[in-house]
Amino acid sequence: MATINDNYLKLKAGYLFPEIARRVKAFTESNPEGAAKLIRCGIGDVTEPLPEACRQAMHDAVDELGDSSTFRGYGPEQGYDFLRDAIVENQYAGLGISADEVFVSDGSKCDTGNILDIFGKGNKIAITDPVYPVYVDTNVMVGNTGEADESGAYEGLVYLPCTAENNFVPTIPEEDVDLVYLCYPNNPTGATATRQQLEEWVAYAKERNAIILYDAAYEAFVQDESVPKSIYEIEGAKDCAIEFRSFSKNGGFTGVRCAYTVVPKSVTGTDGKGEKHPLHPLWSRRHSTKFNGASYPVQRGAAAVFSPEGKAQVGALIKGYMENAALLRETCEKLGLPVYGGENAPYVWVGCPDGIDSWGMFDRMLEKANVVITPGSGFGAAGEGYFRISAFNSRENVEEVCRRITENLG
Ligand code: MLT
């Protein structure tokens, strides 16, 4: 008799984005007219073509694989040196990160979930609320929580509310936690954390022997120079933080798949006997055993993000998405709605008009405006009363979305 992982039975409904996709499918099947006009600003998926520099590098890599003198088979599981070196040179210059502390993978979503493989059972987990649902669900899957209550909150998790009052950056908890997930620029609120706030978190983690799992997937969208892009800009973070980054949102690799995780050699965890061990060899071992590396053409494409042409092309993509975010912000502000984010992140976080809850807003936007947004409550109880608009779209679509928002909410 094969038993199952009972923890999966604790998971609430569908994962947010498949659930949205299910509702959208039901709507489009019964409303062909609405379906034809539908604009998707729900999931943060890029829409613009891959940078030319990346495409060229991938073409060249495929050609190399087609020639017996340059053919390659399995690559290093942790990533090719050309990419790890380029990441350190371009993303971590002066921050004391070495190339062998960078682990290339096929996505940050996978890495933020898989990282739990190297941690023990019974860790106390802190997450922000609202939060990227992957952090919660993966902790449920490995048994780090009890059951969910009616509000969807899981027993055993420490929820750190992020509200307009605290500028969507959580207050340091009084209690001890072992792992804390922070994501800045934030998904879903688009908020950023200041240097001082991150310093406080690093000080907390060091004092309590906690580890910060820092998701920096949206760092490329930071416009304000005073906002830290990496947790390693904070002194001491190399002793207590793991950072996740991605090529999905800057290079437009959501379909191509390439990301990386930085595990400094100085970050340690404690074994059952109370002895400290560096996490770096554990993650390296996990990578070698369960992963065979991101594909060679993809890693060549990712490295091209850092070429002079690649930088210019990625810069243009980001500029375009941020201009979209500014248009969305302006439209919602003109309607008198509370508007957050969208200035250093591709997400605009908007308070629902009076009397409408998050899913009510989702339905209204879908049915009346034929625009898909993401209901704030899908990211956690503290997201209730908000909705998220993704700025990842063509300018034409964003202008149309702005028109439809004004028409339907004005
Ligand atoms: C989101 O919309 O929150 C993200 O695109 C999801 C993801 O990156 O996996």
Side-chain angles (χ1 to χ4, degrees), residues 341-388:
E343 289 175 320
N344 292 289
Y347 296 126
V348 182
W349 185 245
V350 189
C352 298
D354 279 348
I356 308 182
D357 67 10
S358 295
W359 277 109
M361 193 63 198
F362 174 85
D363 290 336
R364 178 161 165 178
M365 290 290 284
L366 180 61
E367 285 156 22
K368 300 250 169 6
N370 306 138
V371 173
V372 182
I373 45 109
T374 309
S377 58
F379 297 102
E384 182 53 273
Y386 290 93
F387 63 102
R388 190 192 78 174

mmCIF file of all heavy atoms in Angstrom, residues 341-388:
data_model
loop_
_atom_site.group_PDB
_atom_site.id
_atom_site.type_symbol
_atom_site.label_atom_id
_atom_site.label_comp_id
_atom_site.label_asym_id
_atom_site.label_seq_id
_atom_site.Cartn_x
_atom_site.Cartn_y
_atom_site.Cartn_z
ATOM 1 N N GLY A 341 2.866 50.763 -4.388
ATOM 2 C CA GLY A 341 3.731 50.018 -5.301
ATOM 3 C C GLY A 341 3.845 50.699 -6.654
ATOM 4 O O GLY A 341 3.494 51.867 -6.816
ATOM 5 N N GLY A 342 4.372 49.927 -7.624
ATOM 6 C CA GLY A 342 4.442 50.435 -8.989
ATOM 7 C C GLY A 342 5.527 51.477 -9.236
ATOM 8 O O GLY A 342 5.649 51.985 -10.345
ATOM 9 N N GLU A 343 6.321 51.793 -8.205
ATOM 10 C CA GLU A 343 7.375 52.793 -8.409
ATOM 11 C C GLU A 343 8.759 52.164 -8.462
ATOM 12 O O GLU A 343 9.666 52.678 -9.105
ATOM 13 C CB GLU A 343 7.313 53.853 -7.303
ATOM 14 C CG GLU A 343 6.085 54.739 -7.499
ATOM 15 C CD GLU A 343 5.873 55.732 -6.389
ATOM 16 O OE1 GLU A 343 6.090 55.356 -5.204
ATOM 17 O OE2 GLU A 343 5.484 56.870 -6.688
ATOM 18 N N ASN A 344 8.898 51.039 -7.779
ATOM 19 C CA ASN A 344 10.157 50.282 -7.811
ATOM 20 C C ASN A 344 9.861 48.807 -8.040
ATOM 21 O O ASN A 344 10.663 47.938 -7.692
ATOM 22 C CB ASN A 344 10.905 50.438 -6.487
ATOM 23 C CG ASN A 344 11.410 51.856 -6.283
ATOM 24 O OD1 ASN A 344 12.330 52.293 -6.958
ATOM 25 N ND2 ASN A 344 10.790 52.577 -5.366
ATOM 26 N N ALA A 345 8.693 48.531 -8.561
ATOM 27 C CA ALA A 345 8.252 47.145 -8.774
ATOM 28 C C ALA A 345 7.180 47.145 -9.863
ATOM 29 O O ALA A 345 6.492 48.153 -10.039
ATOM 30 C CB ALA A 345 7.665 46.594 -7.477
ATOM 31 N N PRO A 346 7.051 46.039 -10.558
ATOM 32 C CA PRO A 346 6.082 46.006 -11.663
ATOM 33 C C PRO A 346 4.654 45.703 -11.215
ATOM 34 O O PRO A 346 3.827 45.301 -12.031
ATOM 35 C CB PRO A 346 6.629 44.879 -12.544
ATOM 36 C CG PRO A 346 7.307 43.957 -11.582
ATOM 37 C CD PRO A 346 7.865 44.813 -10.486
ATOM 38 N N TYR A 347 4.385 45.802 -9.922
ATOM 39 C CA TYR A 347 3.038 45.538 -9.418
ATOM 40 C C TYR A 347 2.461 46.781 -8.770
ATOM 41 O O TYR A 347 3.149 47.472 -8.009
ATOM 42 C CB TYR A 347 3.060 44.416 -8.373
ATOM 43 C CG TYR A 347 3.512 43.089 -8.948
ATOM 44 C CD1 TYR A 347 4.568 42.383 -8.381
ATOM 45 C CD2 TYR A 347 2.879 42.545 -10.065
ATOM 46 C CE1 TYR A 347 4.984 41.164 -8.914
ATOM 47 C CE2 TYR A 347 3.298 41.335 -10.614
ATOM 48 C CZ TYR A 347 4.348 40.658 -10.030
ATOM 49 O OH TYR A 347 4.753 39.467 -10.565
ATOM 50 N N VAL A 348 1.188 47.031 -9.081
ATOM 51 C CA VAL A 348 0.463 48.139 -8.467
ATOM 52 C C VAL A 348 -0.575 47.506 -7.549
ATOM 53 O O VAL A 348 -1.312 46.599 -7.957
ATOM 54 C CB VAL A 348 -0.194 49.024 -9.557
ATOM 55 C CG1 VAL A 348 -0.912 50.205 -8.915
ATOM 56 C CG2 VAL A 348 0.863 49.515 -10.543
ATOM 57 N N TRP A 349 -0.571 47.952 -6.306
ATOM 58 C CA TRP A 349 -1.414 47.346 -5.252
ATOM 59 C C TRP A 349 -2.469 48.388 -4.894
ATOM 60 O O TRP A 349 -2.131 49.493 -4.439
ATOM 61 C CB TRP A 349 -0.513 47.030 -4.068
ATOM 62 C CG TRP A 349 -1.077 46.305 -2.896
ATOM 63 C CD1 TRP A 349 -1.218 46.798 -1.631
ATOM 64 C CD2 TRP A 349 -1.507 44.937 -2.831
ATOM 65 N NE1 TRP A 349 -1.708 45.823 -0.794
ATOM 66 C CE2 TRP A 349 -1.892 44.670 -1.500
ATOM 67 C CE3 TRP A 349 -1.614 43.900 -3.780
ATOM 68 C CZ2 TRP A 349 -2.370 43.433 -1.077
ATOM 69 C CZ3 TRP A 349 -2.077 42.663 -3.364
ATOM 70 C CH2 TRP A 349 -2.450 42.440 -2.043
ATOM 71 N N VAL A 350 -3.719 48.046 -5.138
ATOM 72 C CA VAL A 350 -4.774 49.059 -5.081
ATOM 73 C C VAL A 350 -5.853 48.657 -4.084
ATOM 74 O O VAL A 350 -6.273 47.486 -4.054
ATOM 75 C CB VAL A 350 -5.424 49.221 -6.489
ATOM 76 C CG1 VAL A 350 -6.369 50.410 -6.509
ATOM 77 C CG2 VAL A 350 -4.374 49.359 -7.574
ATOM 78 N N GLY A 351 -6.298 49.593 -3.289
ATOM 79 C CA GLY A 351 -7.410 49.342 -2.374
ATOM 80 C C GLY A 351 -8.704 49.254 -3.171
ATOM 81 O O GLY A 351 -8.946 50.064 -4.081
ATOM 82 N N CYS A 352 -9.547 48.271 -2.870
ATOM 83 C CA CYS A 352 -10.823 48.117 -3.595
ATOM 84 C C CYS A 352 -11.749 49.284 -3.251
ATOM 85 O O CYS A 352 -11.696 49.822 -2.143
ATOM 86 C CB CYS A 352 -11.529 46.831 -3.167
ATOM 87 S SG CYS A 352 -10.607 45.333 -3.521
ATOM 88 N N PRO A 353 -12.615 49.654 -4.195
ATOM 89 C CA PRO A 353 -13.615 50.677 -3.863
ATOM 90 C C PRO A 353 -14.484 50.179 -2.702
ATOM 91 O O PRO A 353 -14.619 48.967 -2.510
ATOM 92 C CB PRO A 353 -14.451 50.774 -5.145
ATOM 93 C CG PRO A 353 -13.689 50.074 -6.208
ATOM 94 C CD PRO A 353 -12.750 49.122 -5.553
ATOM 95 N N ASP A 354 -15.070 51.115 -1.985
ATOM 96 C CA ASP A 354 -15.866 50.764 -0.793
ATOM 97 C C ASP A 354 -16.867 49.656 -1.054
ATOM 98 O O ASP A 354 -17.549 49.654 -2.064
ATOM 99 C CB ASP A 354 -16.649 52.006 -0.323
ATOM 100 C CG ASP A 354 -15.732 52.895 0.491
ATOM 101 O OD1 ASP A 354 -14.631 52.427 0.843
ATOM 102 O OD2 ASP A 354 -16.110 54.060 0.725
ATOM 103 N N GLY A 355 -16.929 48.743 -0.118
ATOM 104 C CA GLY A 355 -17.975 47.721 -0.177
ATOM 105 C C GLY A 355 -17.646 46.532 -1.063
ATOM 106 O O GLY A 355 -18.455 45.613 -1.182
ATOM 107 N N ILE A 356 -16.500 46.533 -1.695
ATOM 108 C CA ILE A 356 -16.162 45.383 -2.565
ATOM 109 C C ILE A 356 -14.958 44.664 -1.972
ATOM 110 O O ILE A 356 -13.979 45.306 -1.595
ATOM 111 C CB ILE A 356 -15.824 45.833 -4.007
ATOM 112 C CG1 ILE A 356 -16.943 46.723 -4.568
ATOM 113 C CG2 ILE A 356 -15.583 44.636 -4.915
ATOM 114 C CD1 ILE A 356 -16.716 47.164 -6.009
ATOM 115 N N ASP A 357 -15.054 43.339 -1.875
ATOM 116 C CA ASP A 357 -13.878 42.614 -1.381
ATOM 117 C C ASP A 357 -13.008 42.192 -2.567
ATOM 118 O O ASP A 357 -13.346 42.464 -3.729
ATOM 119 C CB ASP A 357 -14.283 41.442 -0.473
ATOM 120 C CG ASP A 357 -15.011 40.348 -1.215
ATOM 121 O OD1 ASP A 357 -15.056 40.383 -2.468
ATOM 122 O OD2 ASP A 357 -15.548 39.436 -0.556
ATOM 123 N N SER A 358 -11.889 41.536 -2.253
ATOM 124 C CA SER A 358 -10.898 41.259 -3.305
ATOM 125 C C SER A 358 -11.450 40.374 -4.428
ATOM 126 O O SER A 358 -11.255 40.664 -5.608
ATOM 127 C CB SER A 358 -9.671 40.580 -2.695
ATOM 128 O OG SER A 358 -9.016 41.431 -1.806
ATOM 129 N N TRP A 359 -12.117 39.273 -4.057
ATOM 130 C CA TRP A 359 -12.640 38.397 -5.119
ATOM 131 C C TRP A 359 -13.814 39.067 -5.827
ATOM 132 O O TRP A 359 -14.039 38.858 -7.028
ATOM 133 C CB TRP A 359 -13.037 37.014 -4.580
ATOM 134 C CG TRP A 359 -11.851 36.075 -4.472
ATOM 135 C CD1 TRP A 359 -11.249 35.646 -3.324
ATOM 136 C CD2 TRP A 359 -11.119 35.447 -5.558
ATOM 137 N NE1 TRP A 359 -10.188 34.805 -3.616
ATOM 138 C CE2 TRP A 359 -10.091 34.659 -4.966
ATOM 139 C CE3 TRP A 359 -11.219 35.471 -6.948
ATOM 140 C CZ2 TRP A 359 -9.181 33.909 -5.732
ATOM 141 C CZ3 TRP A 359 -10.308 34.717 -7.711
ATOM 142 C CH2 TRP A 359 -9.303 33.958 -7.099
ATOM 143 N N GLY A 360 -14.556 39.909 -5.106
ATOM 144 C CA GLY A 360 -15.643 40.664 -5.722
ATOM 145 C C GLY A 360 -15.073 41.581 -6.798
ATOM 146 O O GLY A 360 -15.630 41.748 -7.885
ATOM 147 N N MET A 361 -13.931 42.157 -6.483
ATOM 148 C CA MET A 361 -13.256 43.046 -7.433
ATOM 149 C C MET A 361 -12.746 42.243 -8.631
ATOM 150 O O MET A 361 -12.843 42.695 -9.779
ATOM 151 C CB MET A 361 -12.084 43.708 -6.698
ATOM 152 C CG MET A 361 -11.489 44.850 -7.421
ATOM 153 S SD MET A 361 -12.688 46.175 -7.600
ATOM 154 C CE MET A 361 -11.885 47.064 -8.907
ATOM 155 N N PHE A 362 -12.222 41.070 -8.343
ATOM 156 C CA PHE A 362 -11.743 40.193 -9.425
ATOM 157 C C PHE A 362 -12.894 39.915 -10.397
ATOM 158 O O PHE A 362 -12.743 40.067 -11.615
ATOM 159 C CB PHE A 362 -11.197 38.887 -8.831
ATOM 160 C CG PHE A 362 -10.821 37.869 -9.865
ATOM 161 C CD1 PHE A 362 -9.567 37.899 -10.454
ATOM 162 C CD2 PHE A 362 -11.729 36.899 -10.286
ATOM 163 C CE1 PHE A 362 -9.215 36.979 -11.437
ATOM 164 C CE2 PHE A 362 -11.386 35.981 -11.258
ATOM 165 C CZ PHE A 362 -10.132 36.012 -11.834
ATOM 166 N N ASP A 363 -14.051 39.522 -9.837
ATOM 167 C CA ASP A 363 -15.201 39.177 -10.687
ATOM 168 C C ASP A 363 -15.689 40.396 -11.469
ATOM 169 O O ASP A 363 -15.997 40.302 -12.645
ATOM 170 C CB ASP A 363 -16.359 38.627 -9.825
ATOM 171 C CG ASP A 363 -16.010 37.241 -9.267
ATOM 172 O OD1 ASP A 363 -15.158 36.553 -9.867
ATOM 173 O OD2 ASP A 363 -16.586 36.861 -8.227
ATOM 174 N N ARG A 364 -15.739 41.528 -10.770
ATOM 175 C CA ARG A 364 -16.230 42.742 -11.438
ATOM 176 C C ARG A 364 -15.319 43.127 -12.607
ATOM 177 O O ARG A 364 -15.786 43.446 -13.696
ATOM 178 C CB ARG A 364 -16.295 43.870 -10.408
ATOM 179 C CG ARG A 364 -16.737 45.177 -10.984
ATOM 180 C CD ARG A 364 -17.214 46.088 -9.882
ATOM 181 N NE ARG A 364 -17.310 47.458 -10.343
ATOM 182 C CZ ARG A 364 -17.733 48.454 -9.586
ATOM 183 N NH1 ARG A 364 -18.096 48.225 -8.342
ATOM 184 N NH2 ARG A 364 -17.793 49.674 -10.057
ATOM 185 N N MET A 365 -14.013 43.095 -12.360
ATOM 186 C CA MET A 365 -13.068 43.457 -13.426
ATOM 187 C C MET A 365 -13.150 42.453 -14.580
ATOM 188 O O MET A 365 -13.056 42.825 -15.742
ATOM 189 C CB MET A 365 -11.641 43.509 -12.878
ATOM 190 C CG MET A 365 -11.387 44.663 -11.940
ATOM 191 S SD MET A 365 -11.390 46.250 -12.778
ATOM 192 C CE MET A 365 -9.798 46.187 -13.567
ATOM 193 N N LEU A 366 -13.330 41.179 -14.233
ATOM 194 C CA LEU A 366 -13.395 40.152 -15.280
ATOM 195 C C LEU A 366 -14.678 40.330 -16.099
ATOM 196 O O LEU A 366 -14.639 40.381 -17.327
ATOM 197 C CB LEU A 366 -13.352 38.760 -14.623
ATOM 198 C CG LEU A 366 -13.402 37.559 -15.554
ATOM 199 C CD1 LEU A 366 -12.199 37.553 -16.497
ATOM 200 C CD2 LEU A 366 -13.414 36.246 -14.742
ATOM 201 N N GLU A 367 -15.801 40.431 -15.400
ATOM 202 C CA GLU A 367 -17.092 40.429 -16.099
ATOM 203 C C GLU A 367 -17.402 41.772 -16.767
ATOM 204 O O GLU A 367 -17.919 41.800 -17.876
ATOM 205 C CB GLU A 367 -18.205 40.046 -15.124
ATOM 206 C CG GLU A 367 -18.175 38.553 -14.822
ATOM 207 C CD GLU A 367 -18.811 38.189 -13.501
ATOM 208 O OE1 GLU A 367 -19.642 38.989 -12.998
ATOM 209 O OE2 GLU A 367 -18.469 37.122 -12.960
ATOM 210 N N LYS A 368 -17.090 42.862 -16.074
ATOM 211 C CA LYS A 368 -17.489 44.177 -16.612
ATOM 212 C C LYS A 368 -16.396 44.790 -17.484
ATOM 213 O O LYS A 368 -16.691 45.404 -18.503
ATOM 214 C CB LYS A 368 -17.796 45.140 -15.456
ATOM 215 C CG LYS A 368 -18.910 44.683 -14.533
ATOM 216 C CD LYS A 368 -20.102 45.573 -14.749
ATOM 217 C CE LYS A 368 -21.403 45.168 -14.151
ATOM 218 N NZ LYS A 368 -21.559 44.070 -13.285
ATOM 219 N N ALA A 369 -15.136 44.643 -17.063
ATOM 220 C CA ALA A 369 -14.058 45.307 -17.815
ATOM 221 C C ALA A 369 -13.285 44.311 -18.681
ATOM 222 O O ALA A 369 -12.464 44.718 -19.499
ATOM 223 C CB ALA A 369 -13.115 46.012 -16.845
ATOM 224 N N ASN A 370 -13.545 43.034 -18.490
ATOM 225 C CA ASN A 370 -12.799 41.984 -19.200
ATOM 226 C C ASN A 370 -11.290 42.144 -19.005
ATOM 227 O O ASN A 370 -10.497 42.053 -19.952
ATOM 228 C CB ASN A 370 -13.151 41.967 -20.690
ATOM 229 C CG ASN A 370 -14.646 41.861 -20.949
ATOM 230 O OD1 ASN A 370 -15.188 42.509 -21.801
ATOM 231 N ND2 ASN A 370 -15.329 41.034 -20.172
ATOM 232 N N VAL A 371 -10.941 42.436 -17.763
ATOM 233 C CA VAL A 371 -9.529 42.553 -17.380
ATOM 234 C C VAL A 371 -9.282 41.594 -16.224
ATOM 235 O O VAL A 371 -10.064 41.547 -15.271
ATOM 236 C CB VAL A 371 -9.184 43.999 -16.932
ATOM 237 C CG1 VAL A 371 -7.766 44.073 -16.366
ATOM 238 C CG2 VAL A 371 -9.341 44.978 -18.092
ATOM 239 N N VAL A 372 -8.206 40.813 -16.329
ATOM 240 C CA VAL A 372 -7.858 39.902 -15.235
ATOM 241 C C VAL A 372 -6.885 40.620 -14.298
ATOM 242 O O VAL A 372 -5.838 41.092 -14.736
ATOM 243 C CB VAL A 372 -7.190 38.607 -15.760
ATOM 244 C CG1 VAL A 372 -6.893 37.657 -14.605
ATOM 245 C CG2 VAL A 372 -8.061 37.930 -16.802
ATOM 246 N N ILE A 373 -7.251 40.687 -13.032
ATOM 247 C CA ILE A 373 -6.342 41.218 -12.013
ATOM 248 C C ILE A 373 -6.132 40.096 -10.991
ATOM 249 O O ILE A 373 -6.662 38.994 -11.170
ATOM 250 C CB ILE A 373 -6.902 42.498 -11.335
ATOM 251 C CG1 ILE A 373 -8.386 42.324 -10.969
ATOM 252 C CG2 ILE A 373 -6.784 43.691 -12.244
ATOM 253 C CD1 ILE A 373 -8.682 42.200 -9.568
ATOM 254 N N THR A 374 -5.382 40.348 -9.942
ATOM 255 C CA THR A 374 -5.216 39.319 -8.913
ATOM 256 C C THR A 374 -5.849 39.824 -7.616
ATOM 257 O O THR A 374 -5.554 40.941 -7.188
ATOM 258 C CB THR A 374 -3.718 39.023 -8.681
ATOM 259 O OG1 THR A 374 -3.115 38.760 -9.944
ATOM 260 C CG2 THR A 374 -3.526 37.796 -7.792
ATOM 261 N N PRO A 375 -6.736 39.018 -7.025
ATOM 262 C CA PRO A 375 -7.368 39.456 -5.774
ATOM 263 C C PRO A 375 -6.360 39.457 -4.633
ATOM 264 O O PRO A 375 -5.645 38.470 -4.428
ATOM 265 C CB PRO A 375 -8.453 38.397 -5.541
ATOM 266 C CG PRO A 375 -8.001 37.198 -6.307
ATOM 267 C CD PRO A 375 -7.150 37.678 -7.449
ATOM 268 N N GLY A 376 -6.300 40.549 -3.889
ATOM 269 C CA GLY A 376 -5.325 40.656 -2.809
ATOM 270 C C GLY A 376 -5.449 39.559 -1.776
ATOM 271 O O GLY A 376 -4.444 39.070 -1.239
ATOM 272 N N SER A 377 -6.677 39.111 -1.511
ATOM 273 C CA SER A 377 -6.861 38.095 -0.471
ATOM 274 C C SER A 377 -6.248 36.758 -0.877
ATOM 275 O O SER A 377 -6.006 35.905 -0.019
ATOM 276 C CB SER A 377 -8.346 37.922 -0.147
ATOM 277 O OG SER A 377 -9.033 37.552 -1.326
ATOM 278 N N GLY A 378 -5.990 36.575 -2.161
ATOM 279 C CA GLY A 378 -5.330 35.344 -2.610
ATOM 280 C C GLY A 378 -3.900 35.248 -2.093
ATOM 281 O O GLY A 378 -3.284 34.187 -2.107
ATOM 282 N N PHE A 379 -3.352 36.371 -1.625
ATOM 283 C CA PHE A 379 -1.983 36.394 -1.093
ATOM 284 C C PHE A 379 -1.970 36.331 0.428
ATOM 285 O O PHE A 379 -0.909 36.416 1.036
ATOM 286 C CB PHE A 379 -1.266 37.678 -1.538
ATOM 287 C CG PHE A 379 -1.087 37.810 -3.022
ATOM 288 C CD1 PHE A 379 -1.908 38.638 -3.766
ATOM 289 C CD2 PHE A 379 -0.093 37.110 -3.687
ATOM 290 C CE1 PHE A 379 -1.744 38.779 -5.146
ATOM 291 C CE2 PHE A 379 0.091 37.242 -5.053
ATOM 292 C CZ PHE A 379 -0.748 38.079 -5.784
ATOM 293 N N GLY A 380 -3.160 36.222 1.029
ATOM 294 C CA GLY A 380 -3.210 36.158 2.494
ATOM 295 C C GLY A 380 -4.298 37.069 3.032
ATOM 296 O O GLY A 380 -4.765 37.984 2.337
ATOM 297 N N ALA A 381 -4.668 36.802 4.292
ATOM 298 C CA ALA A 381 -5.795 37.525 4.891
ATOM 299 C C ALA A 381 -5.574 39.041 4.872
ATOM 300 O O ALA A 381 -6.514 39.809 4.659
ATOM 301 C CB ALA A 381 -5.999 37.032 6.317
ATOM 302 N N ALA A 382 -4.330 39.490 5.084
ATOM 303 C CA ALA A 382 -4.083 40.934 5.128
ATOM 304 C C ALA A 382 -4.183 41.578 3.746
ATOM 305 O O ALA A 382 -4.169 42.801 3.623
ATOM 306 C CB ALA A 382 -2.722 41.233 5.759
ATOM 307 N N GLY A 383 -4.301 40.743 2.708
ATOM 308 C CA GLY A 383 -4.473 41.279 1.349
ATOM 309 C C GLY A 383 -5.933 41.545 1.026
ATOM 310 O O GLY A 383 -6.250 42.089 -0.044
ATOM 311 N N GLU A 384 -6.833 41.150 1.930
ATOM 312 C CA GLU A 384 -8.263 41.383 1.694
ATOM 313 C C GLU A 384 -8.516 42.886 1.559
ATOM 314 O O GLU A 384 -7.925 43.694 2.288
ATOM 315 C CB GLU A 384 -9.077 40.793 2.848
ATOM 316 C CG GLU A 384 -10.587 40.929 2.679
ATOM 317 C CD GLU A 384 -11.110 40.380 1.343
ATOM 318 O OE1 GLU A 384 -11.130 41.123 0.357
ATOM 319 O OE2 GLU A 384 -11.493 39.189 1.318
ATOM 320 N N GLY A 385 -9.382 43.222 0.585
ATOM 321 C CA GLY A 385 -9.674 44.643 0.370
ATOM 322 C C GLY A 385 -8.728 45.302 -0.632
ATOM 323 O O GLY A 385 -8.827 46.493 -0.886
ATOM 324 N N TYR A 386 -7.816 44.507 -1.187
ATOM 325 C CA TYR A 386 -6.888 45.035 -2.197
ATOM 326 C C TYR A 386 -6.951 44.177 -3.457
ATOM 327 O O TYR A 386 -7.390 43.025 -3.423
ATOM 328 C CB TYR A 386 -5.439 44.982 -1.691
ATOM 329 C CG TYR A 386 -5.128 45.959 -0.588
ATOM 330 C CD1 TYR A 386 -5.231 45.574 0.746
ATOM 331 C CD2 TYR A 386 -4.719 47.261 -0.884
ATOM 332 C CE1 TYR A 386 -4.939 46.468 1.770
ATOM 333 C CE2 TYR A 386 -4.417 48.163 0.135
ATOM 334 C CZ TYR A 386 -4.528 47.759 1.461
ATOM 335 O OH TYR A 386 -4.236 48.646 2.457
ATOM 336 N N PHE A 387 -6.476 44.752 -4.553
ATOM 337 C CA PHE A 387 -6.225 43.932 -5.745
ATOM 338 C C PHE A 387 -4.890 44.354 -6.345
ATOM 339 O O PHE A 387 -4.412 45.459 -6.109
ATOM 340 C CB PHE A 387 -7.378 44.020 -6.756
ATOM 341 C CG PHE A 387 -7.639 45.378 -7.355
ATOM 342 C CD1 PHE A 387 -7.201 45.695 -8.635
ATOM 343 C CD2 PHE A 387 -8.364 46.343 -6.642
ATOM 344 C CE1 PHE A 387 -7.469 46.945 -9.201
ATOM 345 C CE2 PHE A 387 -8.629 47.597 -7.208
ATOM 346 C CZ PHE A 387 -8.181 47.895 -8.486
ATOM 347 N N ARG A 388 -4.270 43.421 -7.069
ATOM 348 C CA ARG A 388 -2.964 43.688 -7.665
ATOM 349 C C ARG A 388 -3.113 43.763 -9.180
ATOM 350 O O ARG A 388 -3.759 42.891 -9.777
ATOM 351 C CB ARG A 388 -1.992 42.553 -7.302
ATOM 352 C CG ARG A 388 -0.544 42.849 -7.670
ATOM 353 C CD ARG A 388 0.333 41.620 -7.562
ATOM 354 N NE ARG A 388 0.150 40.733 -8.707
ATOM 355 C CZ ARG A 388 0.865 39.636 -8.932
ATOM 356 N NH1 ARG A 388 1.793 39.267 -8.077
ATOM 357 N NH2 ARG A 388 0.625 38.890 -9.990
#
